[in-house]
Amino acid sequence: MTDLEAALRTAVRGEVGFDVTSRALTTMDASNYRRVPLGVVAPRDADDVAAVLEVCRARGVPVVARGGGTSIAGQATGTGVVLDFTRHMNRLVSLDRETRTAVVQPGLVLDRLQRAAAPHGLRFGPDPSTHSRCTLGGMIGNNSCGSHSVAWGTTADSVRELAVLTARGERLRLGQEWAGAPEGLRALVDGDLARLRTGFPDLPRRISGYALDALLPENGADVARSFCGSEGTLGVLTEAVVRLVEAPRARALAVLGYADESGAAEAAAGLLPLGPLTVEGMAVDLVPPASAAGLPRGGAWLFVETGGDTAAEARARAEAVVRAADVVDALVVTDPAGQRALWRIREDASGTATRMPDSSEAWPGWEDCAVPPVRLGAYLRDFRALLSAHDLRGTPYGHFGDGCIHVRIDFDLLTDAGVARFRRFSEELADVVVAHGGSLSGEHGDGQARAELLPRMYGEETVALFERAKAAWDPDDLLNPGMLVRPAPLDVNLRFSVLPREPVDVAFGYPSDGGDFSAAVRRCVGVAKCRTTSAAGSSVMCPSFRATGEEQHSTRGRARLLHEMLAGELVTDGWRSTEVRDALDLCLSCKGCRSDCPVEVDMATHKAEFLHHHYAGRRRPAAHYAMGWLPVWLRWAARARLAPAVNALETVRPLAAVAKRLGGIAGEREVPRLAGETFSGWWRGRPAEAGRTGVLVVLWPDTFTEHLSPSVGRAAVRVLEAAGLRVALPPTLLRGRAVIGDGTSKSALALLTARRGRVCCGLTYVSTGQLDRARAVMRRTLDLMAPVLETSAPVVVLEPSCAAALRTDLPELLHDDPRAARLAARVVTFAEALERHAPDWTPPAVNRPATGQTHCHQHAVLGDAADRRLREAAGLTGELTGGCCGLAGNFGFEDGHYEVSVACAEDQLLPAVREAPDEAVVLADGFSCRTQLEQLAGVRGRHLAEVLAEALEGE
């Protein structure tokens, strides 16, 4: 233990982390930069903050304040001690409806303030796209804005008072009329009034530099306002009094379609006199194809929100906007759910912009310039010309009504030549911005990305004034040094420089990243959508973070540890790292991040890859053998007719406890009962159906349906045949019953009778990282499925996790075998099979409300649109929740995971089931989901096939 760590542990009541994990989690924010801190402290209160400052001041150690870590300019990283306010100093202290104010701590997440204010008809005006995880302290530090700034301004416009600790321990209460100003600041202002009155551009999004003009007498000598946007370089915020605004009772959203971004940019300023709440712009390049269907025609769009006391008033204002705009097409939405879906497209742009249309990488650094709104069109033309001159690409989007543009550019930050071009482009673009009367930063702050170029915007003398202001507040340069004044060069400390240049030997193919594992890890840019404290709608990511609240259990935290593992500076033992292993331990492999993360980080795949290397040549945890090899054990039990004995074992508690302990299974869990008759056994004993002429579908006998819930398979056969389809099982389970039929070659028929073995998707081996075994199982399955692949028959998979494994893991693990992609393309869900191959069939009328949860793998990989339509056609009303059930295959059964598993279930699934009416059907297509419901709630969940089969019997 170092002297610094020992002193902090003695002085501070909050957590002090100098371990590898704590430091690795805070080496980066959402920028291009990386700095390795000495340690991290989570203070419990202002006294803790004062103690940290005293200890660090005595030793000359820098201090950096950090909120949600979503800063895009590098200002939330540092080489000294990082203060993490999200763990303890995250309270809403009070909210006053009469004065429309709230008292908040710096670690409070914005959405929590918004939820508390909403019942009073109030809200905090600024709302960045990271509103579900950014903190009020970070917003004040960066002077954040968001989409509603055309109506409610920046964070500085919403600040009343700030409680601040200076680096020398002085406690200040900042306000207007010089309230709380440190000694020397007033003399500095009085001595340079002319420069302060003329040296600052007049535009709504001037965030760059220090807001010293707020200290002018005509501006009320507003010390609190001048502190906003100082990026933690002047003092440490411990509490804030913020102003709230009246929220419109009703809103409407007009989405205006234009031919291109220039047309949208030219039109934006002209809409401001109509008093909109937002004027946001984005181009088609940033919209996923699946989302584009919900937008009006055009190559770019403005999202113009209007408000009113009634829905009719809000809609009338939105329609007035449409009439005033010269558009290709337009859409007005008043339905709140429809508006949320459209806003989600815009908010996800901060992540989707990190990939170009050809999947190449794009990076921040110049995502944040702002110009006067009337000059936006001209600025964008010059910006595009500069991109072309440097052979760079980027798609602008952002706050068009405020003249603020976000863009990720495909800089090459991996080579010396690429970094040199990054510098040249940055210098030239800074001059273009200044020529248009703009600000280098319009929302995200200068940080390291732009501070070096501030003299081009303000001139050397004004920047020297910034340095004097910094000295008045922090004469020892203790707080976030290298930001805003005396900055580090914009092309050093790049986070990519530490990654290996040679390809990393891996098992998966990583097709979206050119087979490069380092590129796959680089996908995480730190926007931290995985850190949301509550799942919205159908979203899944990230259940373990919502259960624990710990950064290391978020997708971003795990990606950061993998980054440091590849870097080898902090995490020095590579694939053998216990820090990475422990962080991945609570990953449920739900694959929610594959769909919900704006850049589609696939942590489930990363976890499987890591476990594969981590345990190579070593003994694995018992659970990997007990549950990873589950298909083998269940087949043996079925062949030996051991189901009654195994089921009886659970009733003898001492024996069951020993068995679970030996198998690495949580003692709180009950082992699921084995079926007395397997699904394939039932199938073989079923009378052969002669003369069927319908479309052939091959029903996949997954391990769970085969051995644990054959009733699902029987129900699926009943429904599929009722729909006029011809059902077959894979040939190996037929052995002589040549029902594949039309188009099957003689060689395929020979295989039909000669092949032995069981098809298996390999899921349990993948989820436990036994990838060599998974590949062997998958290759054997491809051999066994050869007759099916010679036909055009779809493969119907009832278990969503198995379907997802066949769709994604199979072709990504066997990327060298073209049969893998062919089989993956054949996989359909139960609902997809009915919709595509029996389109004229009408399902039986169930006519009951439905509750439950969309399977996480279905949400992330398969999609549930066909299921929604099938439920609607059957009269099953109501929406299923998102999230993850928490059992997630082997995860919830593993020893040490029970509490987190229960917490995940309590996030959405169990409350939804408890609140459902008594007559509701509880739908759960996944075996894990059904098991979790039974064991935690005593509720029987059913596969949709079972519900429809029962209704058919009733008819």
Side-chain angles (χ1 to χ4, degrees):
M1 187 183 300
T2 64
D3 169 66
L4 174 64
E5 181 183 0
L8 288 171
R9 290 190 181 280
T10 300
V12 174
R13 291 181 297 112
E15 290 83 0
V16 176
F18 276 60
D19 57 286
V20 168
T21 298
S22 297
R23 297 166 66 204
L25 293 172
T26 50
T27 55
M28 292 174 278
D29 48 17
S31 72
N32 297 328
Y33 301 100
R34 171 183 176 272
R35 293 179 181 82
V36 180
L38 296 174
V40 182
V41 176
R44 289 192 175 273
D45 51 28
D47 290 340
D48 265 3
V49 176
V52 171
L53 290 170
E54 182 179 356
V55 169
C56 290
R57 183 173 64 252
R59 291 159 178 79
V61 174
V63 176
V64 176
R66 181 180 172 105
T70 56
S71 297
I72 309 183
Q75 61 267 56
T77 67
T79 57
V81 170
V82 173
L83 294 175
D84 176 9
F85 287 102
T86 61
R87 190 170 304 179
H88 301 301
M89 295 183 67
N90 56 13
R91 292 176 48 235
L92 170 60
V93 179
S94 64
L95 191 151
D96 190 320
R97 171 70 182 89
E98 299 303 317
T99 62
R100 298 182 188 173
T101 59
V103 180
V104 301
Q105 291 185 323
L108 178 69
V109 170
L110 175 59
D111 268 5
R112 289 178 55 198
L113 174 60
Q114 303 290 38
R115 286 195 293 269
H120 305 285
L122 301 173
R123 57 164 292 136
F124 189 69
D127 56 345
S129 60
T130 54
H131 53 82
S132 62
R133 59 269 192 199
C134 69
T135 65
L136 271 294
M139 293 179 67
I140 292 168
N142 289 345
N143 194 9
S144 300
C145 308
S147 60
H148 288 87
S149 59
V150 294
W152 297 317
T154 71
T155 297
D157 295 311
S158 298
V159 165
R160 290 280 185 87
E161 293 181 4
L162 300 175
V164 168
L165 271 163
T166 70
R168 291 191 171 180
E170 189 176 4
R171 298 181 187 237
L172 306 177
R173 193 81 181 180
L174 313 184
Q176 290 189 323
E177 302 301 333
W178 294 110
E183 186 178 351
L185 188 62
R186 184 167 188 172
L188 180 150
V189 170
D190 290 343
D192 225 329
L193 291 173
R195 185 175 309 282
L196 294 178
R197 287 183 172 123
T198 61
F200 292 79
D202 183 18
L203 70 162
R205 286 295 192 94
R206 174 178 52 80
I207 305 299
S208 282
Y210 290 133
L212 297 182
D213 56 328
L215 299 173
L216 289 166
E218 59 266 34
N219 292 333
D222 195 335
V223 182
R225 186 183 185 92
S226 73
F227 187 87
C228 295
S230 59
E231 302 179 17
T233 62
L234 303 182
V236 179
L237 178 73
T238 58
E239 193 173 87
V241 180
V242 297
R243 180 175 63 91
L244 305 176
V245 297
E246 291 278 356
R249 289 188 174 88
R251 301 188 194 204
L253 179 62
V255 184
L256 312 178
Y258 294 86
D260 52 37
E261 71 186 17
S262 295
E266 296 283 2
L271 300 177
L272 297 178
L274 298 176
L277 299 176
T278 70
V279 183
E280 299 288 289
M282 68 184 302
V284 68
D285 291 354
L286 293 175
V287 181
S291 302
L295 294 169
R297 290 178 296 112
W301 298 272
L302 291 179
F303 289 61
V304 184
E305 187 178 78
T306 58
D309 288 334
T310 65
E313 184 179 347
R315 184 179 186 91
R317 289 176 176 169
E319 290 172 343
V321 167
V322 173
R323 289 194 298 271
D326 182 14
V327 296
V328 172
D329 194 9
L331 173 70
V332 173
V333 180
T334 56
D335 169 49
Q339 292 182 57
R340 284 194 299 272
L342 288 166
W343 274 122
R344 211 168 293 128
I345 298 173
R346 162 61 187 87
E347 290 174 355
D348 282 352
S350 61
T352 54
T354 65
R355 280 293 185 276
M356 304 303 294
D358 62 1
S359 294
S360 58
E361 296 167 311
W363 304 107
W366 286 97
E367 80 299 326
D368 193 34
C369 301
V371 298
V374 294
R375 297 191 61 87
L376 182 60
Y379 166 71
L380 278 177
R381 286 191 290 273
D382 288 348
F383 172 76
R384 284 289 192 186
L386 189 62
L387 281 177
S388 297
H390 285 270
D391 195 24
L392 294 168
R393 296 174 299 163
T395 302
Y397 68 99
H399 315 291
F400 281 23
D402 271 336
C404 180
I405 292 301
H406 300 322
V407 62
R408 303 288 178 117
I409 301 172
D410 65 339
F411 296 119
D412 168 17
L413 299 177
L414 299 174
T415 67
D416 292 342
V419 173
R421 181 169 59 166
F422 168 61
R423 167 169 281 283
R424 290 194 302 273
F425 176 85
S426 299
E427 293 170 343
E428 293 178 31
L429 181 57
D431 292 338
V432 171
V433 172
V434 172
H436 283 278
S439 172
L440 302 183
S441 172
E443 177 170 22
H444 298 153
D446 298 307
Q448 186 179 343
R450 290 171 286 273
E452 181 190 353
L453 302 173
L454 285 177
R456 294 172 183 256
M457 175 181 169
Y458 284 111
E460 297 289 352
E461 293 181 350
T462 300
V463 169
L465 195 62
F466 291 163
E467 293 180 5
R468 290 168 53 200
K470 162 75 168 172
W473 284 91
D474 179 21
D476 305 310
D477 199 18
L478 192 75
L479 300 177
N480 214 358
M483 301 295 152
L484 286 177
V485 301
R486 296 180 293 279
L490 60 86
D491 52 356
V492 302
N493 301 322
L494 293 172
R495 66 186 178 100
F496 319 96
S497 62
V498 296
L499 294 177
R501 291 294 179 262
E502 297 300 320
V504 178
D505 185 22
V506 287
F508 282 95
Y510 301 99
S512 299
D513 297 290
D516 184 353
F517 183 68
S518 293
V521 171
R522 287 199 304 270
R523 269 185 179 271
C524 178
V525 294
V527 296
K529 191 177 179 184
C530 51
R531 279 181 53 94
T532 54
T533 55
S534 61
S538 63
S539 66
V540 173
M541 181 184 71
C542 177
S544 53
F545 174 77
R546 288 198 299 277
T548 69
E550 297 287 345
E551 172 78 12
Q552 66 175 318
H553 299 142
S554 69
T555 305
R556 181 180 74 173
R558 294 172 178 127
R560 290 293 177 258
L561 281 161
L562 286 167
H563 187 285
E564 294 303 326
M565 181 193 80
L566 292 176
E569 180 182 345
L570 262 178
V571 179
T572 57
D573 44 0
W575 294 111
R576 300 297 197 194
S577 167
T578 55
E579 294 86 3
V580 179
R581 180 201 64 197
D582 292 346
L584 288 169
D585 181 55
L586 291 188
C587 171
L588 285 84
S589 297
C590 67
K591 289 188 178 286
C593 46
R594 187 174 178 123
S595 62
D596 295 347
C597 171
V599 290
E600 299 176 352
V601 170
D602 186 352
M603 194 53 61
T605 297
H606 295 348
K607 178 180 180 179
E609 184 78 65
F610 176 84
L611 293 176
H612 167 68
H613 295 279
H614 185 76
Y615 289 110
R618 297 201 293 179
R619 184 178 178 181
R620 289 173 167 270
H624 287 198
Y625 301 108
M627 286 173 279
W629 286 63
L630 188 66
V632 172
W633 310 139
L634 291 178
R635 283 200 299 271
W636 285 0
R639 287 172 185 166
R641 303 184 185 279
L642 295 177
V646 173
N647 293 338
L649 178 65
E650 180 65 27
T651 64
V652 184
R653 295 196 177 277
L655 292 177
V658 171
K660 284 187 275 192
R661 187 159 53 250
L662 292 174
I665 298 172
E668 300 91 338
R669 288 290 178 189
E670 295 179 14
V671 177
R673 295 179 63 82
L674 275 60
E677 180 184 42
T678 64
F679 171 53
S680 60
W682 168 83
W683 174 268
R684 285 192 297 270
R686 183 172 178 258
E689 296 286 343
R692 284 192 176 273
T693 58
V695 174
L696 173 70
V697 297
V698 175
L699 187 60
W700 184 270
D702 64 85
T703 295
F704 306 100
T705 301
E706 171 75 357
H707 298 283
L708 299 171
S709 55
S711 61
V712 172
R714 295 195 296 268
V717 171
R718 172 77 174 90
V719 176
L720 292 170
E721 290 184 343
L725 300 175
R726 222 169 9 123
V727 180
L729 267 63
T732 57
L733 297 181
L734 302 177
R735 289 205 276 278
R737 285 177 58 187
V739 298
I740 292 294
D742 303 336
T744 305
S745 68
K746 290 182 178 180
S747 61
L749 287 172
L751 279 172
L752 185 72
T753 57
R755 291 285 186 186
R756 287 187 172 274
R758 303 282 182 174
V759 294
C760 179
C761 67
L763 169 69
T764 58
Y765 304 106
V766 172
S767 63
T768 54
Q770 301 180 73
L771 300 186
D772 290 336
R773 174 65 182 170
R775 280 187 290 219
V777 167
M778 290 173 173
R779 287 196 193 279
R780 185 187 67 194
T781 292
L782 290 176
D783 292 341
L784 297 171
M785 289 294 287
V788 175
L789 294 178
E790 290 196 17
T791 74
S792 59
V795 178
V796 184
V797 186
L798 301 173
E799 174 62 41
S801 56
C802 294
L806 290 169
R807 282 253 187 107
T808 60
D809 296 327
L810 172 66
E812 290 175 16
L813 262 181
L814 297 186
H815 45 89
D816 58 341
D817 190 333
R819 299 176 302 169
R822 287 168 57 198
L823 178 54
R826 296 282 187 87
V827 170
V828 295
T829 66
F830 173 72
E832 288 171 341
L834 290 169
E835 183 172 82
R836 296 177 190 178
H837 303 290
D840 298 326
W841 179 67
T842 300
V846 181
N847 296 331
R848 290 171 63 185
T851 189
Q853 187 174 56
T854 301
H855 193 285
C856 52
H857 287 180
Q858 179 131 23
H859 166 83
V861 176
L862 308 169
D864 67 340
D867 294 75
R868 289 172 180 270
R869 290 188 286 268
L870 180 57
R871 293 199 301 267
E872 182 180 355
L876 287 164
T877 59
E879 289 292 319
L880 306 189
T881 72
C884 177
C885 74
L887 196 60
N890 57 292
F891 176 85
F893 275 100
E894 289 186 12
D895 192 24
H897 291 173
Y898 182 76
E899 290 184 3
V900 170
S901 176
V902 172
C904 292
E906 288 288 358
D907 185 44
Q908 289 199 72
L909 175 60
L910 296 185
V913 171
R914 292 189 196 107
E915 294 164 9
D918 293 340
E919 69 274 16
V921 175
V922 180
L923 291 174
D925 281 2
F927 177 76
S928 291
C929 305
R930 296 194 295 273
T931 302
Q932 188 80 310
L933 284 166
E934 180 182 353
Q935 294 196 1
L936 299 186
V939 171
R940 183 185 173 223
R942 291 191 289 171
H943 194 288
L944 181 56
E946 293 181 287
V947 176
L948 295 181
E950 181 181 282
L952 284 172
E953 296 302 327
E955 287 184 345

